[in-house]
Amino acid sequence: MAAAAKAGEATLRHAFGNVLSFFILLLIGVLAFSIRLFSVIKYESVIHEFDPYFNYRVTQFLTKNGIYDFWNWFDDRTWYPLGRVIGGTVYPGLTLTAGTIWWLLNSLNIPLSVETVCVFTAPIFSAFASWATYLLTKEVKGAGAGLTAAALLAMVPSYISRSVAGSYDNEAVAIFALIITFYLYIKTLNTGSLFYATLNAIAYFYMVCSWGGYTFIINLIPMHVLLCIVTGRYSSRLYIAYAPLVVLGTLLAALVPVVGFNAVMTSEHFASFLVFIILHVVALVYYIKGILSPKMFKVAVTLVVSVGLVVCCAVIAILVALVASSPTKGWSGRSLSLLDPTYASKYIPIIASVSEHQPPTWPSYFMDINVLAFLVPAGIIACFLPLSDASSFVVLYIVTSVYFSGVMVRLMLVFAPAACIMSGIALSQAFDVFTRSIKFQLLRILGFSEADAGDGSSANVVPENDAVKVDKSEETIKERPSRKNKKKEKEQMEKAQAEKTSAKSKTEKRLLVLPMELSVIGLLLLVFMGAFYVVHCVWAAAEAYSAPSIVLTSYTHEGLHVFDDFREAYAWLRHNTEVDDKVASWWDYGYQTTAMANRTVIVDNNTWNNTHIATVGTAMSSPEKAAWEIFNSLDVKYVLVVFGGLVGYPSDDINKFLWMVRIGGGVFPHIKEPDYLRDGQYRIDSQATPTMLNCLMYKLSYYRFVETDGKGFDRVRRTEIGKKYFKLTHFEEVFTTHHWMVRIYKLKPSKNRIRGKMKKSKSRTSTPSSKRSGSRKKNPWQ
Amino acid sequence: MAKLLLYLTLATSLIPLFSVAFSPENPTDRRVLVLVDDFAIKSSHSLYFGSLTSRGFQLEFKLADDPNIGLQRYGQYLYDALVLFCPSVERFGGSIDVASIVDFVDSGHDLIVAADSNASDLIREVATECGVDFDEDPAAMVIDHINYAVSNFDGDHTLIASDDFIKADVILGSKKIEAPVLFQGIGHSLNPANSLVLKVLSASSSAYSANPKSKLSNPPSLTGSAISLVSVVQARNNARILITGSLSMFSNRFFRSGVQKAGSSIKHEKSGNEQFLTEISKWVFHERGHLKAVNVRHHKVGESDEPAIYRINDDLEYSVEIYEWSGTSWEPYVSDDVQVQFYMMSPYVLKTLSTDQKGHYSAEFKVPDVYGVFQFKVEYQRLGYTSLSLSKQIPVRPYRHNEYERFLPAAYPYYGSAFSMMAGFFIFTIVHLYSK
């Protein structure tokens, strides 16, 4: 009777906990969504930055023309005249997701614009990602840790920076896909269910569709499998978790056009196949071991090992030779720069030139994950008490992602979920300990009788508990390889002991009891730390990461200034140029130009053709005439430069100019970086080199600049410019935005007539013969 | 929408041509402003002017320093061509100056400039703007002690009989000019790098440019066949310019006088001046050598509609019609050297167009196995003809996902292995599950 009541109470509590968890999760989702709306509230509902504009344009195309046209889309408005096969070179996950949402809403008669859907895709998926984090962490350390981790992830600044409303980029959905894939892997590992294994493959497929970062998954999971095998944790569940993933996942990945045969041909995927083979060998070994007697098994092992080693060596030698024969060792440049952080800066300036591919600084860790950085070690320790398959996976995840985030700022995004999970575990365990201690101490203070009973029961239970422990240790010794099974048995045992557990857990709790005061102070400190985290996250979301970067603002003593020059310039292009005119600019502005101005560009942010980018870089670093010829050969009509010298916008083309020189010089050796540097210093003042002062970028940026303040003071470089008065011979200024941030020039047509040699301003009295052989300007049109 | 992606550009050189200058719709309405130093030229050069008026030109004579002259009013040009027979003018009257003459040419109008031994700096400057440099010594004239014309009123060999014509029927007409051309005046030189200017009448190798009244102290700066007597310029917008250093070669006296080259026994009754200058004026005023290209079309072989995009390895047909202005009507232009390029940074296909002798040119070719944004380009530049440069942009896409072959014969072993594997696995499963 009493037992039944107790059980009923337990189910009630369980149900109550579930409902509470559900509402907490709902609120976490709302939090994740709403914290990302600062950008919409402070600015407007607009697509941000560079890449999202491309994704937006692709989504528009998808919604207009359908999936088959999208798949086969040959875009003739970028990379002129090469064009780009969009369908085969883009990760379609994000586009398809947003397109599906739009289609769904429209068929429900909710007429939202494509842009609105695109703007809000990232916040929606952030909510999904935090729920996925809950599921993952719950699999590792239970619901409490799950809820804490989900709450942390919902507002981690690193993730916010890539998923605010309007930041319509691959990462927005990819992080969700990443976490859900990990969750399903852990779930399969814990349950051994083929159903989850299939779901896992599908989640992996979604990840492959979404982001190039899927290689992280297909390397991390094999690493974990290998770890399990090496540490003797092989089980059939491990096999079910991994083997279907490799087979189905690889098949599905090969369906994505941008991956295609890369799924079996590039080195990034080799680890998974190698581990796949190893897993089968191990499985076979366990099977044979089960059949044969131990003695026979020993013989067989020696036989197989000796033969197998020889074969393995031969295969590995062939494999190494094959891989080594390819110039990049079968790795792509970005992956190589992950393994060797100095690789990109040495060989591929175009990868090194992207700021998000640079290593992060220490403060950026504090900025992006804040107090989580201090909680992560505690979380790792908690994962080792006790170490299960799931927790070892999470540990592996955080260790690898810490390394990758240290190589590339961008991969901080992969690190953030791991940090959240670890911190969630740490916080939840800490809370657990503190609250339990307080509860226990309170019980002792308040009700003596209860405490007495508790004491009594605990005294009864202690030996039993010891017995169980001994039992466990025996089991561990006996069947070490299948600890999984043992763990399950242990769970069952605990379930069976459910009635006793309340008492038993109390004993365990008593073992971890802390003094009351310490617990309260610790609790307060933890709450304080959490509050600090929340404040920081909200600040980061509101101030640091919500700027759309196409609209800039600045606060001065006069008030708020809005710089809307980019859209002004793109609108000018859209309204004042022919629909087929080509616009040349540095590749950063390619996506925006095609999406906002709807004009053909020469290069864009999909930096697939280094030579083409180098051509534009060379043109920008050449003198006017040579640049005119390069641009004319590419049918360029307009040249767009971004110039921040008037308002102090630091990421303008002059600051990026050295990369143009480097990338241009990498392909066209007549462009030499030292020509643009004075004693190794990059400067544009009167000490600048003549090459620098005569290159196109300098001229287009500073043309007529002296007319603004009479001195030509550049507010970004904080200096007066070197050459103030000059004329353009081959270009003419057609548009400069309000704050001079974007300047558009038109290529002058070649001259109608070719002048003769005689000087134009010949004075009538001068003797002709003396001036005759003077320096005749070579005609620019030949 | 798809049509927008595809477009036709007549190259920039052709656009102003059709819009402002030599107008194909109404080509005979030719108003010519003739600026003279004094009206005596009107009668002394009446033969030349008569040949122009007889061809339908309306000549308007004005003194060069007339304060009321102007080339345009309210932004509209009043004339289609300008003849400067005013070598000694120091300053034009009215609103005309060098810049306005240059603008006149740059908007596609034609110009004839005749200088003289007393050519002013102004005229020289106009010539320089057009790419012709007169000898800068103001007193110099072209002297030729071997190829001078025998005459009774000249002793210093400045009256030259030249027959070194450019070999271009399109400029000088198909009828050969038998008699030498009489020339008396200053020479000019051309920049050899200048591709727009042509030497139509060149001095002989024994000629030089110096002051005939003084002794030579320095070697003359211009000598031999580097000296050009008459040159024409065809600007990039196909405006045409004639520049000569002799005004008197247009005169009735030179037109009528007989000519005998020194050292030659043949005495021509009449000099070649009239034929030469009339023919060249026909060229300058676009009665010859003016081409137009219309009806640029392309389509897949077997179809007639112009597609917005081609696929790699498509067979296509390109056609264009080219006509030449004959002075009264557009006649088919017949040639066998018109070529079309299929161009993306470099020509992938270069093919000579075949003609049906009625002005219709066409070619069939296969799109290369390269995708990208291509252009159909016709760059037709022949001596004396207006330059045709047509370009038409067309994207070329790769195969769609369902345009590849579904089953490759070479891959049958793989299909076989895949299906036998499936069958084998199925049988194995049945045996394994139900064999006990």
Side-chain angles (χ1 to χ4, degrees):
Chain A
M1 178 76 188
K6 235 175 192 178
E9 196 188 330
T11 30
L12 196 69
R13 275 180 63 179
H14 204 62
F16 181 67
N18 276 348
V19 170
L20 198 63
S21 297
F22 175 76
F23 278 107
I24 289 172
L25 277 177
L26 206 66
L27 287 175
I28 286 172
V30 171
L31 170 71
F33 182 83
S34 51
I35 199 171
R36 286 164 170 83
L37 297 188
F38 275 111
S39 62
V40 173
I41 294 160
K42 288 184 69 180
Y43 296 88
E44 57 188 296
S45 173
V46 70
I47 308 278
H48 290 194
E49 296 200 319
F50 304 105
D51 289 23
Y53 269 95
F54 170 75
N55 298 325
Y56 169 48
R57 181 164 162 259
V58 174
T59 314
Q60 272 182 319
F61 186 91
L62 171 72
T63 53
K64 212 177 281 170
N65 297 299
I67 188 162
Y68 281 103
D69 276 346
F70 164 56
W71 183 2
N72 292 300
W73 186 16
F74 173 71
D75 186 7
D76 58 353
R77 301 191 78 75
T78 59
W79 292 95
Y80 180 86
L82 306 167
R84 179 183 169 196
V85 186
I86 300 270
T89 57
V90 80
Y91 286 99
L94 176 74
T95 316
L96 291 177
T97 307
T100 312
I101 294 175
W102 179 84
W103 175 82
L104 211 68
L105 289 174
N106 260 32
S107 48
L108 293 174
N109 285 331
I110 305 174
L112 285 182
S113 72
V114 179
E115 188 181 5
T116 313
V117 173
C118 293
V119 165
F120 291 103
T121 299
I124 290 170
F125 272 79
S126 309
F128 292 169
S130 42
W131 293 334
T133 310
Y134 164 74
L135 292 174
L136 173 58
T137 321
K138 192 183 162 202
E139 281 305 309
V140 178
K141 276 285 170 190
L147 287 173
T148 323
L152 291 176
L153 185 99
M155 51 186 170
V156 65
S158 169
Y159 186 32
I160 285 179
S161 74
R162 293 315 190 96
S163 62
V164 292
S167 180
Y168 179 55
D169 210 347
N170 288 337
E171 290 92 331
V173 297
I175 294 303
F176 161 69
L178 182 88
I179 299 171
I180 199 81
T181 310
F182 286 157
Y183 158 67
L184 287 167
Y185 171 70
I186 296 293
K187 185 81 185 171
T188 323
L189 202 56
N190 283 348
T191 59
S193 151
L194 203 52
F195 171 69
Y196 282 113
T198 317
L199 281 189
N200 189 18
I202 291 169
Y204 173 66
F205 175 58
Y206 185 61
M207 178 69 191
V208 178
C209 278
S210 304
W211 197 32
Y214 76 91
T215 44
F216 180 62
I217 296 183
I218 205 62
N219 283 301
L220 182 64
I221 291 182
M223 273 168 74
H224 179 246
V225 172
L226 204 62
L227 185 78
C228 286
I229 291 172
V230 168
T231 53
R233 291 164 158 272
Y234 170 80
S235 66
S236 55
R237 280 170 290 110
L238 185 70
Y239 183 86
I240 286 169
Y242 185 65
L245 174 69
V246 171
V247 177
L248 286 178
T250 306
L251 278 177
L252 288 170
L255 293 181
V256 181
V258 65
V259 178
F261 277 105
N262 284 350
V264 285
M265 306 248 293
T266 56
S267 294
E268 282 92 341
H269 305 83
F270 280 175
S272 63
F273 302 133
L274 196 68
V275 172
F276 186 67
I277 294 168
I278 292 171
L279 186 70
H280 277 90
V281 170
V282 171
L284 191 70
V285 167
Y286 275 106
Y287 177 69
I288 291 170
K289 201 176 170 185
I291 296 173
L292 299 178
S293 63
K295 207 175 183 184
M296 281 292 283
F297 181 71
K298 236 173 202 174
V299 176
V301 162
T302 44
L303 193 77
V304 168
V305 161
S306 50
V307 176
L309 266 182
V310 175
V311 176
C312 269
C313 287
V315 168
I316 285 170
I318 291 168
L319 210 68
V320 165
L322 277 179
V323 169
S325 65
S326 81
T328 57
K329 314 273 182 277
W331 293 76
S332 69
R334 284 206 174 87
S335 311
L336 268 184
S337 63
L338 276 183
L339 298 182
D340 172 11
T342 59
Y343 178 83
S345 53
K346 269 190 284 189
Y347 302 108
I348 317 171
I350 198 144
I351 290 179
S353 76
V354 182
S355 61
E356 64 182 27
H357 292 165
Q358 306 289 346
T361 51
W362 284 114
S364 70
Y365 276 97
F366 189 73
M367 177 70 198
D368 277 355
I369 57 171
N370 201 246
V371 297
L372 305 190
F374 310 116
L375 290 172
V376 163
I380 294 175
I381 292 168
C383 279
F384 278 98
L385 303 169
L387 189 69
S388 66
D389 288 349
S391 63
S392 71
F393 178 78
V394 185
V395 171
L396 200 63
Y397 176 25
I398 194 144
V399 169
T400 46
S401 62
V402 161
Y403 170 73
F404 288 138
S405 73
V407 176
M408 256 189 212
V409 175
R410 190 184 186 187
L411 294 176
M412 195 75 102
L413 195 59
V414 174
F415 171 58
C420 289
I421 292 164
M422 283 302 177
S423 313
I425 291 170
L427 268 185
S428 128
Q429 298 274 326
F431 271 119
D432 223 19
V433 169
F434 288 141
T435 46
R436 219 188 283 136
S437 323
I438 291 172
K439 196 173 165 192
F440 188 77
Q441 302 279 14
L442 277 181
L443 285 181
R444 214 155 71 170
I445 293 164
L446 292 178
F448 185 75
S449 60
E450 273 180 75
D452 193 27
D455 272 350
S457 59
S458 68
N460 290 339
V461 168
V462 165
E464 193 185 340
N465 196 25
D466 283 344
V468 170
K469 268 182 184 167
V470 169
D471 214 29
K472 274 180 196 168
S473 60
E474 271 175 8
E475 271 173 1
T476 321
I477 292 157
K478 205 165 72 186
E479 36 175 61
R480 220 184 130 216
S482 54
R483 259 191 72 167
K484 287 267 103 156
N485 296 335
K486 192 225 77 192
K487 196 187 161 197
K488 237 185 173 178
E489 282 169 25
K490 185 187 111 191
E491 278 168 14
Q492 283 169 348
M493 208 189 310
E494 276 176 18
K495 226 178 235 174
Q497 293 175 335
E499 294 87 52
K500 298 181 197 167
T501 330
S502 54
K504 180 193 149 196
S505 58
K506 262 181 194 163
T507 27
E508 281 182 344
K509 277 170 203 161
R510 205 174 69 153
L511 296 176
L512 295 169
V513 155
L514 291 170
M516 178 83 169
E517 299 75 25
L518 204 67
S519 306
V520 171
I521 289 169
L523 214 54
L524 281 177
L525 281 176
L526 279 184
V527 169
F528 178 72
M529 192 160 79
F532 180 70
Y533 176 74
V534 171
V535 168
H536 173 81
C537 290
V538 172
W539 171 82
E543 298 295 328
Y545 289 138
S546 280
S549 99
I550 57 160
V551 187
L552 306 164
T553 54
S554 81
Y555 292 94
T556 60
H557 53 274
E558 291 158 27
L560 178 70
H561 282 267
V562 176
F563 302 94
D564 204 357
D565 286 37
F566 288 104
R567 289 194 293 184
E568 187 186 352
Y570 295 130
W572 186 90
L573 277 175
R574 192 171 63 240
H575 292 297
N576 295 283
T577 59
E578 296 292 321
V579 75
D580 275 303
D581 282 346
K582 283 87 192 168
V583 181
S585 64
W586 190 233
W587 57 262
D588 295 21
Y589 315 106
Y591 278 164
Q592 291 185 347
T593 311
T594 41
M596 288 205 255
N598 192 21
R599 291 296 172 268
T600 309
V601 295
I602 305 300
V603 292
D604 67 23
N605 310 46
N606 175 256
T607 52
W608 66 276
N609 188 322
N610 192 32
T611 315
H612 222 51
I613 290 179
T615 309
V616 174
T618 307
M620 292 296 190
S621 7
S622 302
E624 241 183 290
K625 181 191 153 195
W628 187 91
E629 274 160 9
I630 292 170
F631 281 143
N632 195 46
S633 72
L634 291 169
D635 299 334
V636 168
K637 212 62 172 299
Y638 297 92
V639 180
L640 180 150
V641 295
V642 172
F643 171 64
L646 185 71
V647 290
Y649 171 64
S651 52
D652 65 350
D653 277 347
I654 289 283
N655 273 2
K656 293 173 186 167
F657 181 62
L658 267 193
W659 288 110
M660 303 185 202
V661 173
R662 263 172 224 160
I663 292 168
V667 178
F668 303 100
H670 69 274
I671 302 288
K672 296 183 195 69
E673 193 181 338
D675 292 348
Y676 297 84
L677 302 175
R678 174 74 72 193
D679 303 326
Q681 268 189 313
Y682 178 63
R683 52 202 304 172
I684 45 96
D685 55 6
S686 50
Q687 296 295 305
T689 60
T691 323
M692 179 69 215
L693 293 179
N694 283 313
C695 71
L696 185 70
M697 183 46 77
Y698 180 90
K699 285 193 165 181
L700 296 191
S701 289
Y702 292 116
Y703 178 60
R704 294 200 307 113
F705 180 53
V706 71
E707 290 170 25
T708 54
D709 60 353
K711 285 189 300 188
F713 185 79
D714 186 324
R715 288 170 68 178
V716 175
R717 268 65 59 175
R718 304 195 166 278
T719 173
E720 272 185 38
I721 58 172
K723 203 161 137 191
K724 296 175 182 172
Y725 302 94
F726 54 85
K727 280 186 176 158
L728 297 175
T729 56
H730 295 67
F731 295 84
E732 58 180 328
E733 185 186 2
V734 287
F735 187 67
T736 294
T737 55
H738 185 238
H739 300 100
W740 286 51
M741 278 169 59
V742 185
R743 312 195 68 187
I744 300 171
Y745 293 83
K746 189 177 183 178
L747 270 75
K748 283 186 185 167
S750 53
K751 275 189 182 158
N752 191 32
R753 297 156 290 104
I754 299 173
R755 267 181 53 86
K757 319 177 182 184
M758 267 193 287
K759 294 224 172 66
K760 203 170 184 177
S761 56
K762 192 185 69 164
S763 70
R764 297 186 176 209
T765 49
S766 69
T767 52
S769 53
S770 65
K771 283 204 168 177
R772 186 78 188 241
S773 57
S775 62
R776 188 183 137 264
K777 221 173 153 187
K778 201 178 164 227
N779 199 300
W781 309 112
Q782 288 173 4
Chain B
M1 185 62 207
K3 283 275 170 196
L4 279 178
L5 294 174
L6 174 105
Y7 79 108
L8 159 76
T9 354
L10 288 171
T12 44
S13 61
L14 280 179
I15 291 163
L17 172 85
F18 286 130
S19 55
V20 285
F22 172 77
S23 101
E25 293 79 33
N26 202 3
T28 49
D29 180 24
R30 308 298 304 274
R31 296 153 302 171
V32 182
L33 175 65
V34 185
L35 294 182
V36 293
D37 278 338
D38 66 283
F39 285 121
I41 289 176
K42 199 172 167 182
S43 54
S44 66
H45 292 59
S46 59
L47 281 176
Y48 183 68
F49 294 134
S51 83
L52 291 181
T53 35
S54 70
R55 297 212 310 272
F57 294 97
Q58 302 161 11
L59 304 187
E60 192 171 324
F61 292 91
K62 288 278 170 69
L63 280 178
D65 50 4
D66 184 340
N68 295 321
I69 55 174
L71 288 173
Q72 57 176 350
R73 183 180 296 155
Y74 309 131
Q76 295 287 317
Y77 280 105
L78 300 170
Y79 307 101
D80 301 309
L82 176 65
V83 177
L84 294 179
F85 277 3
C86 47
S88 57
V89 67
E90 291 292 337
R91 218 191 131 174
F92 291 112
S95 61
I96 300 182
D97 54 11
V98 174
S100 71
I101 290 173
V102 164
D103 286 344
F104 184 69
V105 171
D106 285 347
S107 53
H109 300 90
D110 307 322
L111 174 69
I112 294 178
V113 179
D116 210 341
S117 52
N118 54 354
S120 65
D121 286 336
L122 187 62
I123 292 297
R124 287 165 188 272
E125 207 175 312
V126 171
T128 305
E129 285 293 336
C130 301
V132 167
D133 297 308
F134 281 117
D135 190 347
E136 296 188 18
D137 183 354
M141 289 179 82
V142 184
I143 304 168
D144 195 332
H145 293 301
I146 295 172
N147 291 312
Y148 59 94
V150 179
S151 72
N152 45 11
F153 52 85
D154 177 27
D156 53 9
H157 299 158
T158 55
L159 181 64
I160 297 165
S162 173
D163 51 5
D164 194 358
F165 304 114
I166 189 171
K167 287 172 191 61
D169 285 355
V170 66
I171 297 176
L172 293 179
S174 47
K175 192 165 161 250
K176 192 172 183 294
I177 300 169
E178 300 288 344
V181 169
L182 288 172
F183 180 93
Q184 187 171 35
I186 55 177
H188 56 260
S189 63
L190 310 175
N191 181 359
N194 187 338
S195 59
L196 301 177
V197 58
L198 295 171
K199 199 188 285 180
V200 178
L201 183 65
S202 128
S204 73
S205 54
S206 57
Y208 66 94
S209 176
N211 186 351
K213 297 194 177 63
S214 65
K215 277 192 155 180
L216 271 181
S217 49
N218 301 317
S221 54
L222 281 176
T223 56
S225 48
I227 302 175
S228 172
L229 303 177
V230 179
S231 299
V232 294
V233 180
Q234 179 167 281
R236 286 206 168 85
N237 63 358
N238 291 330
R240 288 170 174 179
I241 302 163
L242 170 70
I243 294 175
T244 170
S246 167
L247 177 58
S248 49
M249 71 186 295
F250 294 90
S251 69
N252 295 354
R253 188 163 64 96
F254 278 30
F255 271 35
R256 287 192 186 124
S257 79
V259 61
Q260 184 182 3
K261 218 172 172 180
S264 161
S265 58
I266 308 158
K267 183 166 170 40
H268 295 274
E269 277 305 306
K270 203 164 166 263
S271 69
N273 284 37
E274 181 164 15
Q275 191 192 351
F276 173 72
L277 289 172
T278 308
E279 291 297 330
I280 209 168
S281 74
K282 283 184 184 168
W283 182 84
V284 170
F285 291 143
H286 293 279
E287 286 166 46
R288 216 169 28 227
H290 189 101
L291 303 177
K292 74 165 179 182
V294 289
N295 291 336
V296 179
R297 290 209 180 89
H298 57 85
H299 52 81
K300 280 189 203 166
V301 171
E303 293 175 18
S304 59
D305 289 343
E306 199 168 281
I309 190 165
Y310 283 109
R311 197 193 66 191
I312 54 173
N313 297 329
D314 268 349
D315 288 302
L316 64 84
E317 192 177 324
Y318 175 85
S319 68
V320 61
E321 290 171 26
I322 302 178
Y323 296 100
E324 184 182 4
W325 179 247
S326 70
T328 50
S329 62
W330 289 102
E331 300 293 334
Y333 175 71
V334 178
S335 170
D336 59 355
D337 57 356
V338 187
Q339 291 183 316
V340 64
Q341 303 173 22
F342 202 55
Y343 182 94
M344 182 177 79
M345 301 220 272
S346 61
Y348 278 74
V349 174
L350 178 63
K351 202 146 194 227
T352 307
L353 295 164
S354 58
T355 174
D356 63 350
Q357 310 291 322
K358 289 177 193 151
H360 184 267
Y361 290 81
S362 67
E364 274 185 29
F365 57 90
K366 190 189 260 297
V367 176
D369 196 1
V370 177
Y371 57 79
V373 183
F374 281 82
Q375 287 172 327
F376 291 107
K377 270 196 173 188
V378 174
E379 293 283 344
Y380 191 67
Q381 270 139 13
R382 291 291 176 276
L383 183 68
Y385 286 101
T386 50
S387 56
L388 286 181
S389 67
L390 313 170
S391 64
K392 195 169 188 176
Q393 179 176 315
I394 183 84
V396 172
R397 64 170 173 83
Y399 287 114
R400 287 174 67 89
H401 67 278
N402 53 2
E403 284 174 340
Y404 294 97
E405 274 181 274
R406 179 52 57 100
F407 289 105
L408 304 173
Y412 273 106
Y414 299 98
Y415 306 145
S417 74
F419 284 107
S420 63
M421 173 84 181
M422 282 186 224
F425 181 72
F426 187 66
I427 293 165
F428 171 80
T429 316
I430 288 174
V431 170
H432 186 75
L433 288 179
Y434 302 107
S435 63
K436 286 167 202 168

